[in-house]
Amino acid sequence: MSLLPHISIDFVMRVNEDHIDIQHDGLIAQNVQGFRYFALKETTSVEKNISEFAKKNNGITISDQPDSLQIYNDPFSTIPLYIAKANNNEIVVWSNFEHVYTLRTPSFTIDKVGFWEILLFEAGVGTRTLFKEVKQLPSASFITINKRKGEYSIDRYWDFNIAEETSITSLTEAAQGLHERLDTVFKALDDSQQYLLGVSGGMDSRLTLAYLNKHLPKEHVHTFTFGYDARVLDYEYAKNVCKVLGRSMPDFYEITDKVYQESID
């Protein structure tokens, strides 16, 4: 799911054996370090390694080689990408899922697992989408297209998985170790500075605010919550967390189309 659902973005790439066609409405196109880069704004990083470049720039990065094509997204999937095979061995990569209904291809079949994932999580997990023949590009991943064979694969360039620390023998030991590390991090903060924290009421923001409360003056930490309506559960939980920690209520920012556009501008 895109971080920018209300901004008008339309990226479509069609790949045949000897031809590549790209449309990129709403995106700036750049040639950087031998890569083609498509994003909402110009790049600020010029890393020569394509995976490092993709990590540090919010957009679509493309490396075109004689026999293959690689298409990278960023770690946040700022611009969503979907891929499918169409007729005549053509491979299509696009950003607006509704374009699936305009592809020149045989009928798609419903992916039942993908359907339920979308209902539960608002998006398919991993590469899954509503259709078995359509894949999505997960965060920090890349597509490799073999232009001669008309085949593609999806791989990660940044593995988010963390190896299990097998020396820990109990939950209490794990919690104590986490506490010691977090306490060290927050203790090092400059207590003369002002800090702004988004609070949703979830585990991450609860822990963060609790440690900020411990190490910084309350008047130096300001909280906010955002959503499409002030009645969202995030805001209710955030207010409860602030109340328990003896803080004033977080400011609420309503997300609208205008707010998105102003942020981009």
Side-chain angles (χ1 to χ4, degrees):
M1 183 171 60
S2 171
L3 295 176
L4 303 168
H6 294 289
I7 301 301
S8 179
I9 295 173
D10 198 6
F11 178 89
V12 181
M13 170 187 282
R14 295 181 178 274
V15 182
N16 288 304
E17 181 177 342
D18 56 357
H19 181 70
I20 299 173
D21 178 67
I22 300 177
Q23 301 173 19
H24 55 91
D25 296 339
L27 298 173
I28 297 172
Q30 287 183 269
N31 291 314
V32 186
Q33 301 288 42
F35 313 135
R36 298 196 69 184
Y37 176 64
F38 299 86
L40 289 161
K41 59 184 179 180
E42 293 186 357
T43 178
T44 57
S45 173
V46 290
E47 299 286 340
K48 293 183 179 180
N49 179 281
I50 189 169
S51 61
E52 291 301 315
F53 182 95
K55 279 183 185 180
K56 298 178 181 179
N57 292 283
N58 293 336
I60 302 166
T61 308
I62 300 171
S63 175
D64 189 4
Q65 305 298 324
D67 295 322
S68 66
L69 191 71
Q70 287 190 321
I71 306 162
Y72 285 66
N73 65 0
D74 58 66
F76 300 100
S77 289
T78 306
I79 302 169
L81 288 178
Y82 306 95
I83 184 168
K85 275 191 174 183
N87 290 339
N88 303 320
N89 220 31
E90 182 180 59
I91 293 177
V92 186
V93 180
W94 71 101
S95 61
N96 183 345
F97 187 78
E98 292 184 2
H99 280 314
V100 70
Y101 303 111
T102 67
L103 296 181
R104 298 185 296 275
T105 184
S107 298
F108 290 134
T109 51
I110 296 293
D111 183 334
K112 293 182 180 179
V113 175
F115 170 80
W116 284 109
E117 287 177 352
I118 291 168
L119 284 185
L120 290 170
F121 310 123
E122 298 184 359
V125 175
T127 62
R128 268 200 158 99
T129 70
L130 181 60
F131 302 109
K132 292 181 179 179
E133 297 81 1
V134 179
K135 304 301 180 184
Q136 67 176 344
L137 190 58
S139 299
S141 299
F142 66 97
I143 301 166
T144 300
I145 297 175
N146 185 314
K147 292 189 283 189
R148 305 304 178 199
K149 296 182 178 180
E151 299 173 349
Y152 73 88
S153 61
I154 296 176
D155 301 282
R156 285 195 180 277
Y157 64 82
W158 190 7
D159 190 353
F160 296 125
N161 293 328
I162 300 173
E164 180 183 358
E165 176 52 77
T166 56
S167 65
I168 297 174
T169 59
S170 69
L171 184 60
T172 299
E173 183 182 352
Q176 181 60 32
L178 178 60
H179 165 67
E180 291 171 0
R181 288 161 176 77
L182 290 176
D183 207 46
T184 299
V185 169
F186 286 95
K187 188 183 297 183
L189 293 176
D190 184 347
D191 61 8
S192 68
Q193 297 296 312
Q194 299 289 320
Y195 296 87
L196 181 65
L197 175 67
V199 181
S200 67
M203 178 66 74
D204 293 343
S205 60
R206 290 205 307 272
L207 276 174
T208 303
L209 191 56
Y211 279 99
L212 288 175
N213 248 27
K214 178 180 178 182
H215 293 291
L216 298 175
K218 288 187 178 181
E219 62 272 17
H220 287 189
V221 180
H222 310 277
T223 60
F224 72 94
T225 305
F226 60 84
Y228 296 102
D229 190 287
R231 295 170 294 180
V232 296
L233 284 177
D234 284 10
Y235 192 37
E236 294 300 317
Y237 291 140
K239 288 189 290 186
N240 287 339
V241 169
C242 287
K243 182 178 179 181
V244 168
L245 293 174
R247 307 191 61 86
S248 58
M249 295 298 99
D251 293 327
F252 183 80
Y253 291 92
E254 184 178 2
I255 296 177
T256 64
D257 293 1
K258 181 181 178 183
V259 168
Y260 271 115
Q261 191 61 58
E262 287 176 347
S263 297
I264 296 303
D265 293 340

